[in-house]
Amino acid sequence: MPKRTRAGAVTVLAVAGLTVGAALTVPAGAAPKTASTPRFLSASQLPPHPSSTWTAGQVTDGVPDEMRFCLEEALLAYDSRYRPFHTDLDTSARQLTIVVGTAAKAKALASSLNKEFKGCAGRIEADPEIEATYKSYGSLPVEEGARVHGLHTETTWGATDIRLLSVGRDGRTVTVVDWSQLGDFSDAPVSAFKKTTTKAVNKLY
């Protein structure tokens, strides 16, 4: 059964993230970039949109604003890169990748990211005008594993958003795929998103 609690709509979370600050800084001891740089998804590998096409942005250092509110606490100690994607309509996506020093540290980071997203709604439950429903879509048997989450948010003024997010790992590399649009759980392309997540993890190396 999904857990219902108060939380910020996806669009509200993105705006809230803007207040956190500039892109995360690279700490001393962060894993250096090497010739074996993880690869990112292409636009054609995202869940098909019924009436628009995906466009891929440039790979950029840092954390996208849309991910900050839910995940930043788990990412503060790491150097990360991301690639944004968008359609001509209301659907957008992001892929974030972090390379750490060891497989054990990557496993711990993936666990922390899953925990942070699962608890994201509850962290802003004091807002009486926004309600959220979290749903787990289970794990995927790809490389060292991936886990898929869903979050639906609705405001008292009528805004409703659906978000799918996955955390996957290959060795000492963790990748997060984040998809969102207007709508509810019935609008979420869960099967296609799971395929995208599997491709994202397999494509890293």
Side-chain angles (χ1 to χ4, degrees):
M1 294 294 291
K3 177 184 177 183
R4 297 194 64 82
T5 184
R6 298 285 180 180
V10 173
T11 50
V12 174
L13 297 183
V15 172
L18 293 174
T19 66
V20 175
L24 303 183
T25 58
V26 181
K33 295 175 184 177
T34 68
S36 183
T37 302
R39 293 179 296 168
F40 285 79
L41 290 165
S42 62
S44 64
Q45 294 174 313
L46 293 173
H49 192 283
S51 58
S52 185
T53 57
W54 286 100
T55 299
Q58 296 296 315
V59 175
T60 304
D61 290 338
V63 177
D65 292 325
E66 295 88 344
M67 289 187 181
R68 286 181 178 275
F69 189 88
C70 285
L71 301 180
E72 187 163 47
E73 286 299 316
L75 293 169
L76 286 174
Y78 300 95
D79 179 21
S80 59
R81 307 182 79 207
Y82 72 93
R83 186 176 201 180
F85 303 87
H86 70 273
T87 67
D88 293 333
L89 300 175
D90 64 320
T91 309
S92 64
R94 296 140 291 278
Q95 181 185 6
L96 177 76
T97 297
I98 312 101
V99 181
V100 299
T102 67
K105 290 181 179 179
K107 182 178 180 180
L109 173 59
S111 177
S112 180
L113 288 168
N114 283 314
K115 182 178 179 180
E116 286 295 309
F117 191 77
K118 186 175 181 179
C120 183
R123 290 195 297 274
I124 53 172
E125 64 182 355
D127 190 332
E129 297 186 331
I130 312 168
E131 188 175 67
T133 303
Y134 167 82
K135 183 182 290 188
S136 172
Y137 287 108
S139 59
L140 299 174
V142 54
E143 297 298 342
E144 277 70 60
R147 184 162 293 278
V148 181
H149 310 269
L151 178 67
H152 172 241
T153 51
E154 185 173 2
T155 69
T156 56
W157 59 89
T160 178
D161 298 91
I162 180 65
R163 183 176 185 181
L164 297 176
L165 183 140
S166 61
V167 179
R169 183 172 72 89
D170 182 357
R172 63 190 186 95
T173 300
V174 176
T175 193
V176 180
V177 182
D178 184 25
W179 172 99
S180 61
Q181 71 171 34
L182 300 178
D184 56 30
F185 284 116
S186 66
D187 301 303
V190 178
S191 295
F193 184 76
K194 287 183 175 181
K195 292 179 181 178
T196 293
T197 295
T198 298
K199 291 176 182 177
V201 178
N202 278 329
K203 189 176 182 178
L204 288 170
Y205 297 103

